[in-house]
Amino acid sequence: MGTVIVLAIVAGAAALAVRSMIRDKKAGRSIQCGGDCSRCGGCH
């Protein structure tokens, strides 16, 4: 039973991380360079 609870918590955290990355991508921010393209050197 404890394993199922821990698995649910880890899956929830992973889902929140993916959701955050998708929102950042839609907003034009990049995971690699943090959205500061002047310092990035052409990652977009």
Side-chain angles (χ1 to χ4, degrees):
M1 184 67 179
T3 304
V4 174
I5 293 171
V6 171
L7 180 63
I9 291 170
V10 170
L16 288 174
V18 169
R19 188 174 116 192
S20 174
M21 289 176 5
I22 291 171
R23 283 185 177 177
D24 285 348
K25 183 75 172 173
K26 285 183 180 179
R29 292 179 288 228
S30 174
I31 297 169
Q32 290 84 15
C33 68
D36 187 5
C37 290
S38 64
R39 295 179 53 206
C40 183
C43 65
H44 294 272

